[in-house]
Amino acid sequence: MSTTICQVMGFLVSSLGVGGSIMATAMDTWSTQDLYDNPVTAVFQYQGLWRSCVRQSSGFTECRPYFTILGLPAMFQAVRALMIVGIVLGLLGLFVCIFALKCIRIGSMEDTAKANMTLTSGIMFIVAGLCAITGVSVFANMLVTNFWMSTTNMYQGMQNVQNRYTFGSALFVGWVAGGLALVGGIMMCLACKGLIPEESRYKAVSYNASGRNISYRTGPYKGGSGYEADPRTRKGVGYEEAHRSEDGRRPYPSKYDYV
């Protein structure tokens, strides 16, 4: 029962993480204009991964997409790629996880197959969460670098007017979504251990003796020289008596009778 709960909870948490990653990627507020020095302005600018927008004080908003790919910074394109890879892996993980749920029976699928599918989806969720967290962190590092460079230029008098950008709401959504996908993937990997049948975990063979218990006595090895006499050719009273039956007669003639 605990395995099923862990699996279902991992699926739900991962679904929230993947959905949050999609929402963060589509949002336009990855970076917003810093209003610390100028709180009252007629124009407010904010940017996303796919377009930049301008909102006027009258409420009119105009967005302009990026019409170039090669003209964008390399780190900016890397953030795009990380978010897209995380979304694709997350969607594939959700698709695999649906068929791996223990509460859903599809044909004659064994528990071992469900365990493998659960582990696969968990790994996909973990990688998707790491991609989202890495992409958002790289973009945040770009914002911090540009912010302090703009601030330095403003205080040195190199530029009188400089628009500075700070963290937007999309960054926080991406961080939370990546964390949820990561936690959901870990829960799926933990649920995989409980789905493996007991007989497949410990494959051991026990051998039981069907006859009497035979004890073997060990002793030092005694090597022969090769010149010992054959015990069958030895003559003696004890040896002849061994061939006699209880009534004193030999059951069959011995070769010693003819000597």
Side-chain angles (χ1 to χ4, degrees):
M1 187 65 181
S2 59
T3 301
T4 305
I5 295 176
C6 183
Q7 189 183 31
V8 173
M9 289 298 297
F11 173 74
L12 295 177
V13 173
S14 301
S15 301
L16 293 176
V18 175
S21 298
I22 296 174
M23 184 173 60
T25 305
M27 292 176 65
D28 296 327
T29 55
W30 279 69
S31 60
T32 59
Q33 183 179 357
D34 184 40
L35 302 177
Y36 177 75
D37 293 333
N38 188 13
V40 180
T41 180
V43 178
F44 179 73
Q45 300 179 5
Y46 53 94
Q47 299 175 353
L49 293 180
W50 313 104
R51 58 182 184 175
S52 60
C53 300
V54 176
R55 187 178 62 197
Q56 299 179 2
S57 58
S58 60
F60 178 76
T61 302
E62 180 182 1
C63 295
R64 182 177 181 271
Y66 302 122
F67 294 104
T68 180
I69 296 179
L70 299 178
L72 297 174
M75 298 300 292
F76 192 86
Q77 298 181 15
V79 173
R80 279 182 171 182
L82 285 172
M83 298 303 295
I84 292 175
V85 170
I87 291 173
V88 172
L89 288 177
L91 293 177
L92 289 177
L94 290 177
F95 181 76
V96 175
C97 185
I98 291 175
F99 296 98
L101 292 176
K102 193 174 182 181
C103 56
I104 298 177
R105 286 290 177 181
I106 301 176
S108 59
M109 184 179 295
E110 298 180 355
D111 291 339
T112 305
K114 284 184 173 291
N116 294 332
M117 295 175 67
T118 302
L119 180 61
T120 303
S121 61
I123 294 175
M124 288 183 176
F125 291 143
I126 291 175
V127 177
L130 291 177
C131 287
I133 294 175
T134 304
V136 175
S137 300
V138 169
F139 194 90
N141 182 62
M142 293 172 54
L143 286 179
V144 172
T145 303
N146 294 332
F147 182 87
W148 290 113
M149 289 181 61
S150 301
T151 303
T152 303
N153 294 334
M154 289 175 60
Y155 284 112
Q156 289 180 355
M158 298 177 61
Q159 293 180 359
N160 295 328
V161 179
Q162 180 71 27
N163 290 330
R164 298 181 300 180
Y165 292 90
T166 184
F167 294 169
S169 58
L171 294 181
F172 301 100
V173 174
W175 273 318
V176 174
L180 290 177
L182 185 63
V183 173
I186 295 174
M187 294 178 67
M188 295 297 293
C189 292
L190 293 178
C192 169
K193 186 178 180 180
L195 292 175
I196 301 177
E198 294 292 337
E199 58 270 10
S200 62
R201 290 187 191 177
Y202 310 100
K203 293 184 178 180
V205 181
S206 59
Y207 298 92
N208 297 324
S210 58
R212 298 179 179 179
N213 294 329
I214 303 175
S215 60
Y216 297 92
R217 182 179 300 172
T218 60
Y221 174 75
K222 182 179 181 182
S225 61
Y227 296 96
E228 289 84 358
D230 189 358
R232 293 178 296 180
T233 60
R234 296 177 181 176
K235 296 181 180 180
V237 178
Y239 187 80
E240 294 180 357
E241 291 298 331
H243 293 277
R244 298 178 181 273
S245 59
E246 295 180 357
D247 54 356
R249 295 178 298 177
R250 293 190 181 94
Y252 52 88
S254 175
K255 65 179 180 178
Y256 301 104
D257 295 340
Y258 302 98
V259 177

